[in-house]
């Protein structure tokens, strides 16, 4: 019965087409294989911490790696990555339908089926089901223009990448929880040395394994315009403006400069701003102006200038945070990374608690069985103080109820360690241990200075819950078309869901995978 169910479960949709300028979705497992190759050979794809990358960039990295290291082509991570990017590689497969025009136009279509089943106390409710049938499309008019769309019909499900609950009265089949939705859709054009994108997609800035601290892909896709400029080969600047909610005219903007002087080191600096008012969006689209400048400039912000604002603060104020991150391979087989996020910190007499977050991680990878298998061990620590991502004037770093920063929000610490054995390119066996401690602070809980007092943002608020777990994972990926994953473990939580003295023990199980034509 369990074996039969395992054949049906599938992971969230991944890329199913092969256009060189197509962006690799930020949650695609290909990035994990690129990280493993970076650790083993000391050479990372440039700008790996500014995702998504284009398929052409990842493929060029693999080709250069095979030239520099003759044994890389036998690496299990290399084989998996190659077949994801090259339809002619062993285990690769072209899109189901490919149309070619007389003037170089190209269009590709690939349908897919996916199912996710998860029974875990961390879910709300415990059981999460995500069943989808969709089609991925990519088209290009020439080498400088690409359009991509991932459209599907699926059941309502949890998480920032889940399907919203639209009800069943207007469902695809009336009375049945099965609605149409857009996973991703965008157009991108090359304008000289700048690439400009408009659409519905995700960004992920930073090297974190469990999540990034400033801009993550934990929230639903952003509706945005974005631009990217690569200069002097080792510098890349990205900037974007995203409309979060057209009603109250809420926006998120960001720019990031990443420096990759060599394959073994990369560093990035990010600035993000939450602001309101469509009239201000063009200002935040300027890539070189610090966002704090727009709050300081002389202006008039009358009450009611934006819907729902009776104080005038919506236009007068913004919320700005910064982060700096790095990834470094000090020697072959070892890689370290880290990030420091600062939402608010005061160096003056105007007291504010330290609304900061920090991350540190390390990975070791070595080959086994004559280079046909690999053993990989990693550990990562994350800490985000209370009140981070929030402001008294309502400019919180959140989108549709999910944080745009760290996936667990503020007031949290987490440690995760994982040991993985890659048995050829098809099989992976993993053991993982996790620990989390989380206070009651959430995005939207801002710092309200007490009269004559101070607050320690590094202290957990309310009743802090703790969650410890150990789990095992088996992944089977024999080709580009098929992915099957099963996870099973044991968990123990104290002060469960912030109820003092309440304990919860469980055996979380997750079954997932994908079949794409």
């Amino acid at each position: 019965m369990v074996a039969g169910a395992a054949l049906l479960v599938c992971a969230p949709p991944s890329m199913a087409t092969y256009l060189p300028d197509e962006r690799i979705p930020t949650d695609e497992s290909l990035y994990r294989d690129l990280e493993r190759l970076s650790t083993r050979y000391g050479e990372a794809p440039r700008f790996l911490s500014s995702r998504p990358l284009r398929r052409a960039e990842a493929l060029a990295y693999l080709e250069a790696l095979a030239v520099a290291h003759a044994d890389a082509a036998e690496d299990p991570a290399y084989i998996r990555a190659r077949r994801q990017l090259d339809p002619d590689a062993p285990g690769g497969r072209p899109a189901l339908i490919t149309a070619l025009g007389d003037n170089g136009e190209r269009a590709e279509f690939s349908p897919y089926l996916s199912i996710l089943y998860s029974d875990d106390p961390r879910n709300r409710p415990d059981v999460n089901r995500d069943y989808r049938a969709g089609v991925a499309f990519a088209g290009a008019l020439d080498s400088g223009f690409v359009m991509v769309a991932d459209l599907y019909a699926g059941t309502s499900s949890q998480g920032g990448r889940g399907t919203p609950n639209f009800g069943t009265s207007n469902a695809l089949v009336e009375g049945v929880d099965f609605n149409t939705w857009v996973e991703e859709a965008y157009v991108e054009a090359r304008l000289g040395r700048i690439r400009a994108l408009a659409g519905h997609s995700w960004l992920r800035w930073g090297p974190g394994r469990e999540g990034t601290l400033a801009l993550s892909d934990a929230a639903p896709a952003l509706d945005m315009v974005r631009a990217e400029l690569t200069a002097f080969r080792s510098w890349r600047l990205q900037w974007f403006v995203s409309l979060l909610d057209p009603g109250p005219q809420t926006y998120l903007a960001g720019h990031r400069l990443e420096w990759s002087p060599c394959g073994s080191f990369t560093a990035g600096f990010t600035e993000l701003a939450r602001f309101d008012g469509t009239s201000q969006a063009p200002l935040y689209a300027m890539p070189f102006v610090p966002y704090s400048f727009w709050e300081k400039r002389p202006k008039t912000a009358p009450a009611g200038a934006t819907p729902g604002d009776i104080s005038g603060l919506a236009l007068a104020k913004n919320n700005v945070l910064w982060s700096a991150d790095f990834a470094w391979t000090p020697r072959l087989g070892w890689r370290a990374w880290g990030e420091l996020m600062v939402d608010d910190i005061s160096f003056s007499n105007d007291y504010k608690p330290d609304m900061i977050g920090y991350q540190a991680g390390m990975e070791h990878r070595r080959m086994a069985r004559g280079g046909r298998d690999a053993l990989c061990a990693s550990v990562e620590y994350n800490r985000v103080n209370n009140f981070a991502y929030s402001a008294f004037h309502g400019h919180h770093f959140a989108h549709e109820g999910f944080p745009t920063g760290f996936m667990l929000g503020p007031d949290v610490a987490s440690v995760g360690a994982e040991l993985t054995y890659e048995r050829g390119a098809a099989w992976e066996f993993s053991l993982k241990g996790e620990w989390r401690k989380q206070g009651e602070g959430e995005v939207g809980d801002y710092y309200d200075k007490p009269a004559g007092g101070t607050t320690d943002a590094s202290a957990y608020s309310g009743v802090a819950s703790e969650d410890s777990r150990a789990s095992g994972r088996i992944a089977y990926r024999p080709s580009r078309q098929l992915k099957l994953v099963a996870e099973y473990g044991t968990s123990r939580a104290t002060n469960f869901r912030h109820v003092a003295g309440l304990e919860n023990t469980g055996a979380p199980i997750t079954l997932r995978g994908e079949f794409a034509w």
Side-chain angles (χ1 to χ4, degrees):
M1 191 73 177
V2 174
L7 293 176
L8 295 176
V9 293
C10 302
S14 62
M15 58 182 188
T17 52
Y18 284 102
L19 296 187
D21 284 335
E22 181 184 353
R23 296 284 173 171
I24 305 169
T26 58
D27 65 336
E28 169 58 46
S29 59
L30 172 62
Y31 288 111
R32 185 70 190 95
D33 287 324
L34 295 178
E35 290 174 340
R36 287 169 171 165
L37 293 172
S38 303
T39 300
R40 176 65 185 90
Y41 300 102
E43 295 285 335
R46 289 189 183 274
F47 316 116
L48 181 58
S49 296
S50 295
R51 303 176 188 176
L53 296 179
R54 293 182 299 119
R55 286 184 0 90
E57 293 175 312
L59 188 56
Y61 163 73
L62 294 182
E63 292 172 346
L65 190 67
V67 172
H69 302 273
D71 57 338
E74 302 300 320
D75 190 302
Y78 184 98
I79 295 172
R80 288 191 299 268
R82 185 83 195 194
R83 71 189 180 205
Q84 287 293 98
L85 298 166
D86 183 1
D88 297 323
R93 187 179 178 88
L96 179 66
I97 300 174
T98 300
L100 302 175
D102 296 334
N103 299 314
E105 305 94 337
R106 184 183 182 93
E108 297 181 350
F109 299 83
S110 286
Y112 62 85
L113 295 173
S114 71
I115 300 176
L116 165 67
Y117 175 86
S118 173
D119 188 349
D120 191 327
R122 290 176 178 171
N123 297 333
R124 298 287 186 96
D126 290 1
V127 175
N128 182 33
R129 298 179 177 88
D130 191 330
Y131 310 146
R132 303 184 184 186
V135 60
F137 161 79
L141 300 180
D142 53 42
S143 60
F145 179 89
V146 65
M147 46 190 171
V148 172
D150 184 339
L151 312 174
Y152 71 90
T155 57
S156 59
S157 52
Q158 303 173 32
R161 290 180 177 267
T163 306
N165 188 347
F166 299 103
T168 60
S169 60
N170 294 308
L172 194 63
V173 178
E174 188 171 353
V176 178
D177 177 19
F178 210 68
N179 277 282
T180 56
W181 191 234
V182 179
E183 175 79 354
E184 189 173 40
Y186 64 84
V187 295
E188 185 176 64
R190 188 174 64 240
L191 309 173
R193 302 193 65 174
I194 295 177
R195 292 182 176 273
L197 179 147
H200 178 79
S201 186
W202 282 272
L203 294 174
R204 187 183 192 273
W205 290 350
R209 181 68 48 78
E210 185 173 2
T212 53
L213 302 188
L215 181 64
S216 74
D217 54 358
L222 301 173
D223 299 317
M224 63 179 159
V225 292
R226 189 192 66 153
E228 174 185 290
L229 172 65
T230 303
F232 307 108
R233 191 170 180 266
S234 60
W235 295 87
R236 174 165 289 178
L237 175 67
Q238 291 187 353
W239 65 100
F240 76 94
V241 175
S242 170
L243 174 60
L244 301 180
D245 191 333
Q249 299 178 26
T250 56
Y251 286 82
L252 173 69
H255 42 218
R256 172 178 173 84
L257 183 63
E258 185 164 332
W259 179 49
S260 296
C262 58
S264 61
F265 182 81
T266 184
F269 177 78
T270 295
E271 184 181 30
L272 296 170
R274 264 283 292 109
F275 68 97
D276 290 356
T278 300
S279 61
Q280 299 201 97
L283 301 177
Y284 286 83
M286 298 182 187
F288 297 106
V289 181
Y291 292 139
S292 58
F293 174 82
W294 301 124
E295 184 181 89
K296 295 176 180 177
R297 76 193 193 284
K299 58 186 177 297
T300 300
T306 58
D309 175 38
I310 60 174
S311 64
L313 292 177
L315 285 178
K317 306 289 287 184
N318 64 18
N319 188 12
V320 178
L321 68 76
W322 304 268
S323 81
D325 60 76
F326 79 94
W328 177 43
T329 307
R331 56 182 296 180
L332 297 185
W334 293 88
R335 188 169 64 93
W337 63 90
E339 182 176 4
L340 172 65
M341 180 275 295
V342 177
D343 183 8
D344 219 334
I345 188 169
S346 178
F347 299 99
S348 67
N349 293 329
D350 183 17
Y351 171 79
K352 291 181 180 178
D354 295 338
M355 305 176 201
I356 63 173
Y358 43 93
Q359 176 187 88
M362 178 169 288
E363 178 173 81
H364 175 61
R365 188 169 185 264
R366 61 189 303 171
M367 307 311 294
R369 213 164 61 97
R372 292 172 292 175
D373 297 352
L375 190 65
C376 186
S378 65
V379 61
E380 182 178 90
Y381 175 78
N382 292 280
R383 178 71 170 103
V384 182
N385 285 358
N386 197 17
F387 308 117
Y389 308 125
S390 305
F392 76 92
H393 40 78
H395 295 95
H396 311 312
F397 287 97
H399 178 36
E400 296 186 16
F402 296 92
T404 57
F406 188 50
M407 61 176 293
L408 300 177
D411 203 15
V412 66
S414 69
V415 180
E418 185 174 31
L419 179 64
T420 300
Y421 179 60
E422 302 168 56
R423 176 71 175 180
W427 291 93
E428 283 186 26
F429 305 90
S430 301
L431 295 175
K432 187 174 184 179
E434 299 175 86
W435 173 83
R436 293 180 182 178
K437 185 173 183 179
Q438 189 156 17
E440 295 186 43
E442 299 178 347
V443 178
D445 294 341
Y446 60 86
Y447 167 66
D448 190 6
K449 184 177 180 179
T454 60
T455 300
D456 183 5
S458 65
Y460 299 99
S461 65
V463 178
S465 63
E466 289 192 47
D467 182 2
S468 303
R469 63 175 53 195
S471 60
R473 175 178 177 270
I474 300 176
Y476 179 57
R477 294 185 284 174
S479 68
R480 183 177 189 262
Q481 286 184 289
L482 182 63
K483 299 178 184 178
L484 298 174
V485 180
E487 299 178 55
Y488 182 77
T490 179
S491 67
R492 181 177 182 272
T494 58
N495 297 335
F496 183 58
R497 295 183 179 172
H498 308 295
V499 177
L502 180 62
E503 294 193 2
N504 177 279
T505 58
I509 181 172
T510 300
L511 301 172
R512 66 177 74 195
E514 177 188 335
F515 181 77
W517 283 269

